[in-house]
Amino acid sequence: DTGVSQDPRHKITKRGQNVTFRCDPISEHNRLYWYRQTLGQGPEFLTYFQNEAQLEKSRLLSDRFSAERPKGSFSTLEIQRTEQGDSAMYLCASSYSGAAGRGYNEQFFGPGTRLTVL
Amino acid sequence: GIQVEQSPPDLILQEGANSTLRCNFSDSVNNLQWFHQNPWGQLINLFYIPSGTKQNGRLSATTVATERYSLLYISSSQTTDSGVYFCAALLYGNNRLAFGKGNQVVVIP
């Protein structure tokens, strides 16, 4: 079990540029989540996938944001025309939604991608 | 949506001291998790505890679901316990974890 991985770990970009982040979940996990965390706050939900289907999106996810999970494995989060307000830590998590029981839907987080928009 | 409140927001401990962190949530939950966020931002899973009591070394947690609160106990604190502790709850029929604002803990030697 190698855990959830994210790439890159840090990204500095200029306002107006597009950025893309990648998340690789724990291999047997069928659910994948994206959260955003700003300084001094807890993470906030952005979106989640069950296998390749994007089943829920937060209103925080403006039309400049798009997420994909094409084959039900890794996921990408793209931000178009970045703004300074997009500066944050972007966290990916995964879980297994198998039979209910111990640890059902327990979410495990990756190390995050810290985005700075200049 | 569900509201999650953590207290105290900030805590300074002498090494070796014990402490209790509290998490109140506003609705019935299907999942309650405690995390420790390290200085690099990684969220480390401490407990998955929708109800009952669990222990892991010097840490233990109790969730009283009917009264909508959870407690995280740190005993014999060490400087490596410093960081932010987050409580996060998942409503029945929901898939998004709702996080509190965290407990910032500083353990001084």
Side-chain angles (χ1 to χ4, degrees):
Chain A
D1 178 3
T2 57
V4 179
S5 62
Q6 292 187 245
D7 183 69
R9 297 291 305 277
H10 303 272
K11 180 71 177 178
I12 300 174
T13 191
K14 292 183 179 179
R15 189 177 54 189
Q17 298 295 304
N18 299 343
V19 294
T20 300
F21 309 142
R22 176 178 171 126
C23 171
D24 287 86
I26 293 171
S27 58
E28 66 268 25
H29 285 183
N30 58 346
R31 289 188 172 179
L32 186 147
Y33 311 80
W34 287 98
Y35 292 81
R36 182 174 71 184
Q37 185 178 21
T38 54
L39 201 60
Q41 302 296 316
E44 295 175 290
F45 172 83
L46 293 178
T47 188
Y48 107 94
F49 293 82
Q50 176 144 331
N51 300 313
E52 65 276 8
Q54 187 174 18
L55 296 184
E56 190 174 349
K57 291 195 287 188
S58 161
R59 55 189 168 87
L60 291 176
L61 212 67
S62 77
D63 56 6
R64 296 185 298 106
F65 288 69
S66 63
E68 294 183 343
R69 193 182 183 199
K71 296 183 180 179
S73 57
F74 72 91
S75 175
T76 58
L77 178 68
E78 181 183 16
I79 309 174
Q80 296 182 327
R81 305 181 304 281
T82 52
E83 301 173 355
Q84 288 183 325
D86 297 331
S87 295
M89 174 78 93
Y90 290 84
L91 294 163
C92 176
S94 70
S95 71
Y96 176 64
S97 67
R102 181 172 181 169
Y104 173 70
N105 215 19
E106 180 179 4
Q107 296 186 24
F108 294 85
F109 283 77
T113 295
R114 189 173 297 278
L115 173 66
T116 302
V117 181
L118 302 176
Chain B
I2 189 170
Q3 304 298 313
V4 179
E5 295 183 354
Q6 294 185 241
S7 60
D10 301 284
L11 188 62
I12 299 176
L13 296 170
Q14 195 76 43
E15 195 169 28
N18 302 330
S19 65
T20 301
L21 309 179
R22 185 176 179 104
C23 171
N24 292 332
F25 42 92
S26 61
D27 212 330
S28 298
V29 299
N30 192 28
N31 174 5
L32 192 292
Q33 292 184 243
W34 281 97
F35 299 90
H36 178 212
Q37 189 162 43
N38 68 21
W40 299 272
Q42 170 96 53
L43 285 167
I44 308 298
N45 288 46
L46 296 178
F47 293 100
Y48 168 87
I49 187 164
S51 64
T53 297
K54 291 185 178 179
Q55 180 149 10
N56 185 2
R58 295 180 297 100
L59 301 181
S60 63
T62 295
T63 297
V64 183
T66 52
E67 297 186 21
R68 300 183 183 171
Y69 73 88
S70 183
L71 303 174
L72 179 69
Y73 305 96
I74 306 174
S75 65
S76 304
S77 57
Q78 300 178 357
T79 55
T80 51
D81 295 331
S82 296
V84 183
Y85 291 81
F86 285 104
C87 166
L90 194 72
L91 278 177
Y92 280 98
N94 208 317
N95 295 286
R96 54 176 74 185
L97 277 175
F99 283 78
K101 291 190 173 182
N103 308 95
Q104 173 80 58
V105 174
V106 176
V107 182
I108 54 177

Coordinates of all heavy atoms in Angstrom, one line a residue, chain A residues 49-94:
Chain A
F49 N -15.6 11.3 -7.3 CA -15.8 10.3 -8.3 C -16.0 8.9 -7.7 O -15.3 8.6 -6.7 CB -14.6 10.1 -9.2 CG -14.3 11.3 -10.0 CD1 -13.6 12.4 -9.5 CD2 -14.7 11.4 -11.4 CE1 -13.3 13.5 -10.3 CE2 -14.4 12.5 -12.1 CZ -13.7 13.6 -11.6
Q50 N -16.9 8.2 -8.2 CA -17.0 6.7 -7.9 C -16.6 6.1 -9.3 O -17.3 6.2 -10.3 CB -18.4 6.3 -7.5 CG -18.4 4.8 -7.3 CD -19.3 4.4 -6.1 OE1 -19.5 5.1 -5.1 NE2 -19.9 3.2 -6.2
N51 N -15.5 5.3 -9.2 CA -14.9 4.8 -10.5 C -14.7 6.0 -11.4 O -14.1 7.0 -11.0 CB -15.8 3.7 -11.0 CG -16.0 2.6 -10.1 OD1 -15.0 2.1 -9.5 ND2 -17.2 2.1 -9.8
E52 N -15.2 6.0 -12.6 CA -14.9 7.1 -13.5 C -16.0 8.1 -13.5 O -15.9 9.2 -14.2 CB -14.7 6.5 -15.0 CG -15.9 5.9 -15.6 CD -16.1 4.4 -15.2 OE1 -15.3 4.0 -14.3 OE2 -16.9 3.8 -15.8
A53 N -17.1 7.9 -12.8 CA -18.2 8.8 -12.8 C -18.0 9.9 -11.8 O -17.8 9.6 -10.6 CB -19.5 8.0 -12.6
Q54 N -18.2 11.2 -12.2 CA -18.1 12.3 -11.3 C -19.5 12.5 -10.8 O -20.5 12.9 -11.5 CB -17.7 13.5 -12.0 CG -17.4 14.7 -11.1 CD -16.8 15.9 -11.8 OE1 -16.9 16.0 -13.0 NE2 -16.2 16.9 -11.1
L55 N -19.7 12.1 -9.5 CA -21.1 12.1 -8.9 C -21.5 13.3 -8.2 O -22.7 13.5 -7.9 CB -21.2 10.8 -8.0 CG -21.1 9.5 -8.7 CD1 -21.3 8.3 -7.8 CD2 -22.0 9.4 -9.9
E56 N -20.6 14.1 -7.7 CA -21.0 15.3 -7.0 C -19.9 16.4 -7.1 O -18.7 16.1 -7.2 CB -21.1 14.9 -5.5 CG -21.7 16.0 -4.6 CD -21.9 15.5 -3.2 OE1 -21.8 14.3 -2.9 OE2 -22.3 16.4 -2.3
K57 N -20.4 17.6 -7.2 CA -19.6 18.8 -7.4 C -20.0 19.9 -6.4 O -21.2 20.1 -6.3 CB -19.6 19.3 -8.8 CG -18.9 18.4 -9.8 CD -18.7 19.2 -11.1 CE -19.9 19.4 -11.9 NZ -19.6 20.0 -13.3
S58 N -19.1 20.5 -5.7 CA -19.5 21.6 -4.8 C -19.7 22.9 -5.6 O -19.1 23.0 -6.7 CB -18.3 21.8 -3.9 OG -18.4 23.1 -3.3
R59 N -20.4 23.8 -5.1 CA -20.6 25.1 -5.7 C -19.3 25.9 -5.7 O -19.1 26.9 -6.4 CB -21.7 25.9 -5.1 CG -21.6 26.1 -3.6 CD -22.9 26.7 -3.1 NE -22.9 26.7 -1.6 CZ -22.4 27.6 -0.9 NH1 -21.9 28.7 -1.4 NH2 -22.5 27.5 0.4
L60 N -18.3 25.4 -4.9 CA -17.0 26.0 -5.0 C -16.3 25.8 -6.3 O -15.4 26.5 -6.7 CB -16.1 25.5 -3.8 CG -16.4 25.8 -2.4 CD1 -15.5 25.1 -1.5 CD2 -16.3 27.3 -2.2
L61 N -16.7 24.7 -7.0 CA -16.1 24.3 -8.2 C -16.7 25.2 -9.4 O -17.6 24.8 -10.0 CB -16.3 22.8 -8.5 CG -15.2 22.1 -9.2 CD1 -13.9 22.0 -8.4 CD2 -15.7 20.7 -9.6
S62 N -16.0 26.3 -9.6 CA -16.5 27.2 -10.7 C -16.3 26.6 -12.0 O -15.6 25.5 -12.2 CB -15.9 28.6 -10.6 OG -14.5 28.5 -11.1
D63 N -16.8 27.2 -13.1 CA -16.6 26.7 -14.4 C -15.2 26.7 -14.9 O -14.9 26.2 -16.0 CB -17.6 27.4 -15.4 CG -17.4 28.9 -15.4 OD1 -16.5 29.4 -14.8 OD2 -18.2 29.5 -16.1
R64 N -14.3 27.4 -14.2 CA -12.9 27.3 -14.5 C -12.2 26.1 -14.1 O -11.1 25.8 -14.5 CB -12.2 28.5 -13.9 CG -12.7 29.9 -14.4 CD -11.8 31.0 -13.9 NE -11.9 31.1 -12.4 CZ -10.9 30.7 -11.6 NH1 -9.8 30.3 -12.0 NH2 -11.1 30.9 -10.3
F65 N -12.9 25.3 -13.2 CA -12.3 24.1 -12.7 C -13.0 22.9 -13.4 O -14.2 22.9 -13.6 CB -12.7 23.9 -11.2 CG -11.9 24.9 -10.3 CD1 -12.2 26.2 -10.3 CD2 -11.0 24.4 -9.4 CE1 -11.5 27.1 -9.5 CE2 -10.3 25.2 -8.6 CZ -10.5 26.6 -8.6
S66 N -12.1 21.9 -13.8 CA -12.7 20.7 -14.3 C -11.8 19.5 -13.8 O -10.6 19.6 -13.6 CB -12.6 20.7 -15.8 OG -11.3 20.8 -16.3
A67 N -12.5 18.4 -13.4 CA -11.9 17.2 -12.9 C -12.3 16.1 -13.8 O -13.4 16.0 -14.2 CB -12.2 17.0 -11.5
E68 N -11.3 15.1 -13.9 CA -11.6 13.9 -14.7 C -11.0 12.7 -14.0 O -10.0 12.9 -13.3 CB -11.0 14.0 -16.1 CG -11.6 15.1 -17.0 CD -11.0 15.1 -18.4 OE1 -9.9 14.5 -18.6 OE2 -11.6 15.6 -19.3
R69 N -11.6 11.6 -14.3 CA -11.0 10.3 -13.8 C -11.3 9.3 -14.9 O -12.1 8.5 -14.8 CB -11.6 9.9 -12.5 CG -10.8 8.8 -11.8 CD -11.5 8.3 -10.5 NE -10.6 7.3 -9.9 CZ -11.1 6.5 -8.9 NH1 -12.4 6.6 -8.5 NH2 -10.3 5.6 -8.4
P70 N -10.5 9.4 -16.0 CA -10.9 8.7 -17.3 C -11.0 7.2 -17.2 O -11.9 6.7 -17.8 CB -9.8 9.1 -18.2 CG -8.7 9.6 -17.4 CD -9.3 10.2 -16.1
K71 N -10.2 6.5 -16.5 CA -10.3 5.1 -16.4 C -10.6 4.6 -15.0 O -10.4 3.4 -14.7 CB -9.0 4.5 -17.0 CG -8.8 4.8 -18.5 CD -7.6 4.1 -19.0 CE -7.4 4.4 -20.5 NZ -6.1 3.8 -21.0
G72 N -11.1 5.4 -14.2 CA -11.4 5.0 -12.8 C -10.2 4.8 -12.0 O -10.3 4.2 -10.9
S73 N -9.0 5.3 -12.4 CA -7.8 5.1 -11.6 C -7.3 6.5 -11.2 O -7.9 7.1 -10.2 CB -6.7 4.4 -12.4 OG -6.4 5.0 -13.6
F74 N -6.4 7.1 -11.9 CA -5.9 8.4 -11.5 C -6.9 9.5 -11.9 O -7.8 9.3 -12.7 CB -4.5 8.7 -12.1 CG -4.6 9.0 -13.6 CD1 -4.7 10.3 -14.1 CD2 -4.5 7.9 -14.5 CE1 -4.8 10.5 -15.4 CE2 -4.6 8.2 -15.9 CZ -4.7 9.5 -16.3
S75 N -6.7 10.7 -11.3 CA -7.6 11.8 -11.6 C -6.7 13.0 -11.9 O -5.6 13.1 -11.4 CB -8.5 12.0 -10.4 OG -9.3 13.2 -10.7
T76 N -7.3 13.9 -12.7 CA -6.7 15.2 -12.9 C -7.6 16.3 -12.5 O -8.9 16.2 -12.7 CB -6.2 15.4 -14.3 OG1 -7.3 15.3 -15.2 CG2 -5.1 14.4 -14.7
L77 N -7.1 17.4 -12.0 CA -7.9 18.6 -11.7 C -7.2 19.7 -12.4 O -6.0 20.0 -12.2 CB -7.9 18.9 -10.2 CG -8.6 20.2 -9.7 CD1 -10.1 20.0 -9.9 CD2 -8.3 20.5 -8.3
E78 N -8.0 20.4 -13.3 CA -7.4 21.5 -14.1 C -8.1 22.8 -13.7 O -9.3 22.8 -13.5 CB -7.7 21.3 -15.6 CG -7.1 22.4 -16.4 CD -7.4 22.3 -17.9 OE1 -8.2 21.5 -18.3 OE2 -6.7 23.0 -18.7
I79 N -7.3 23.8 -13.5 CA -7.8 25.2 -13.3 C -7.4 26.0 -14.5 O -6.3 26.2 -14.8 CB -7.3 25.8 -12.0 CG1 -7.5 24.8 -10.8 CG2 -8.0 27.1 -11.7 CD1 -6.8 25.3 -9.5
Q80 N -8.4 26.6 -15.1 CA -8.2 27.5 -16.2 C -8.2 28.9 -15.8 O -8.9 29.3 -14.9 CB -9.2 27.3 -17.3 CG -9.2 25.8 -17.9 CD -10.2 25.7 -19.1 OE1 -11.2 26.3 -19.0 NE2 -9.8 24.9 -20.0
R81 N -7.4 29.7 -16.5 CA -7.3 31.2 -16.2 C -7.2 31.5 -14.7 O -8.1 32.1 -14.1 CB -8.6 31.9 -16.8 CG -8.8 31.6 -18.3 CD -10.0 32.3 -18.8 NE -11.3 31.9 -18.1 CZ -11.9 30.8 -18.3 NH1 -11.5 29.9 -19.1 NH2 -13.1 30.6 -17.6
T82 N -6.2 31.0 -14.1 CA -6.0 31.0 -12.6 C -6.1 32.5 -12.1 O -5.7 33.4 -12.8 CB -4.7 30.4 -12.2 OG1 -3.6 31.0 -12.9 CG2 -4.7 28.9 -12.4
E83 N -6.7 32.6 -10.9 CA -6.8 33.9 -10.2 C -6.0 33.7 -8.9 O -5.8 32.6 -8.4 CB -8.3 34.1 -10.0 CG -9.1 34.2 -11.2 CD -10.6 34.3 -10.9 OE1 -11.0 34.3 -9.7 OE2 -11.4 34.5 -11.9
Q84 N -5.7 34.9 -8.3 CA -5.0 34.9 -7.1 C -5.8 34.2 -6.0 O -5.2 33.5 -5.1 CB -4.6 36.3 -6.7 CG -3.5 36.9 -7.5 CD -3.0 38.2 -7.1 OE1 -3.8 39.0 -6.6 NE2 -1.8 38.5 -7.3
G85 N -7.1 34.2 -6.0 CA -7.9 33.6 -5.1 C -7.9 32.0 -5.2 O -8.4 31.4 -4.3
D86 N -7.3 31.5 -6.2 CA -7.1 30.1 -6.4 C -6.0 29.5 -5.6 O -5.8 28.3 -5.4 CB -6.9 29.7 -7.8 CG -8.1 30.1 -8.7 OD1 -9.3 30.1 -8.2 OD2 -7.9 30.3 -9.9
S87 N -5.1 30.4 -5.0 CA -4.0 30.0 -4.3 C -4.5 29.2 -3.0 O -5.3 29.7 -2.2 CB -3.1 31.2 -3.8 OG -2.6 31.8 -4.9
A88 N -4.0 28.0 -2.9 CA -4.5 27.1 -1.8 C -3.7 25.8 -1.9 O -2.9 25.6 -2.8 CB -6.0 26.8 -2.0
M89 N -4.0 24.9 -0.9 CA -3.5 23.6 -1.0 C -4.6 22.7 -1.6 O -5.8 22.8 -1.1 CB -3.1 23.1 0.4 CG -2.8 21.6 0.4 SD -1.1 21.3 -0.1 CE -0.2 21.4 1.4
Y90 N -4.3 22.0 -2.6 CA -5.3 21.1 -3.2 C -5.0 19.7 -2.8 O -4.0 19.1 -3.1 CB -5.3 21.2 -4.7 CG -5.9 22.6 -5.1 CD1 -5.1 23.7 -5.1 CD2 -7.3 22.7 -5.4 CE1 -5.6 25.0 -5.4 CE2 -7.8 24.0 -5.7 CZ -7.0 25.1 -5.7 OH -7.5 26.3 -6.0
L91 N -6.0 19.1 -2.1 CA -5.8 17.8 -1.5 C -6.7 16.7 -2.2 O -7.8 17.0 -2.6 CB -6.2 17.8 0.0 CG -5.4 18.6 0.9 CD1 -6.1 18.9 2.2 CD2 -4.0 18.0 1.1
C92 N -6.1 15.6 -2.4 CA -6.9 14.5 -3.0 C -7.0 13.4 -2.0 O -6.1 13.2 -1.1 CB -6.1 13.9 -4.2 SG -6.8 12.5 -5.0
A93 N -8.1 12.7 -2.0 CA -8.3 11.6 -1.0 C -9.0 10.4 -1.8 O -9.6 10.6 -2.8 CB -9.2 12.0 0.1
S94 N -8.8 9.2 -1.2 CA -9.5 8.1 -1.8 C -10.1 7.2 -0.7 O -9.7 7.3 0.5 CB -8.6 7.3 -2.7 OG -7.6 6.6 -2.0

